[in-house]
């Protein structure tokens, strides 16, 4: 079993299609949705992880490719820009799962572990330097 992170952009034409249902039913995937934002009649975004065997995941990605959906494979919907981060540490106490942590108490260096991020978006409000951002 392997797990893949993806986030998807749905244009207006695709927002009402049961794509996640089909990932589960037809491709045997375990779907873990981190965050969804759908504006009926406009557009939608979905950030999720899918777990399954390699063959089913490959088939599922091919299935997604048959829709007018933009697929960002390998990414979550939250991004940490290392170049903007000044390691002030303000975000660390606001990050519930410890995805943003101080890894070196001497230098106070902050780092981001994307695998731990649950996309709560708290760091975006907490960061005075715009180092954390959301794809949607
Ligand atoms: S979105 Fe939430 S979980 Fe992810 S890094 Fe920011 S505060 Fe942590
Ligand atoms: S609040 Fe922003 S600048 Fe400060 S450590 Fe966190 S990501 Fe870096």
């Amino acid at each position: 079993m392997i797990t893949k992170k993806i986030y998807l952009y749905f244009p207006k034409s695709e927002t009402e299609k049961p794509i996640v249902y089909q990932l589960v039913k037809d491709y045997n995937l375990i779907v873990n949705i981190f965050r969804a934002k759908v504006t009926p009649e406009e557009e939608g975004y979905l950030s999720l992880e899918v777990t399954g065997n390699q063959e089913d995941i490959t088939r599922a990605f091919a299935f997604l490719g048959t829709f007018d959906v933009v697929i960002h494979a390998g990414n979550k919907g939250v991004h940490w820009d290392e170049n903007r981060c000044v390691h002030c540490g303000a975000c660390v106490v606001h990050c519930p799962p410890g995805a943003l942590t101080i890894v070196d108490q001497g230098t106070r260096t902050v780092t981001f572990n994307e695998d731990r991020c649950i996309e709560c978006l708290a760091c975006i409000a907490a960061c005075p330097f715009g180092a954390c951002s959301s794809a949607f």
Side-chain angles (χ1 to χ4, degrees), residues 1-4 23 26-29 50-64:
M1 298 281 264
I2 58 172
T3 297
K4 295 277 187 188
L23 291 178
D26 298 338
Y27 299 94
N28 311 311
L29 299 183
V50 292
T51 299
N53 68 44
Q54 180 67 66
E55 184 185 342
D56 283 337
I57 287 180
T58 301
R59 291 193 309 119
F61 274 59
F63 160 74
L64 288 173

Side-chain angles (χ1 to χ4, degrees), residues 30-107:
I30 299 165
V31 176
N32 182 18
I33 297 175
F34 293 111
R35 197 155 52 100
K37 178 180 174 186
V38 178
T39 309
E41 302 296 319
E42 291 180 16
E43 59 184 13
Y45 295 87
L46 190 59
S47 177
L48 69 158
E49 272 181 355
V50 292
T51 299
N53 68 44
Q54 180 67 66
E55 184 185 342
D56 283 337
I57 287 180
T58 301
R59 291 193 309 119
F61 274 59
F63 160 74
L64 288 173
T66 65
F67 295 91
D68 187 17
V69 168
V70 179
I71 305 167
H72 299 269
N75 294 111
K76 282 189 177 169
V78 168
H79 176 67
W80 175 67
D81 185 342
E82 189 170 3
N83 294 321
R84 282 188 172 224
C85 179
V86 300
H87 304 278
C88 66
C91 58
V92 173
V93 293
H94 295 281
C95 180
L100 286 158
T101 51
I102 295 171
V103 285
D104 184 325
Q105 292 297 337
T107 61

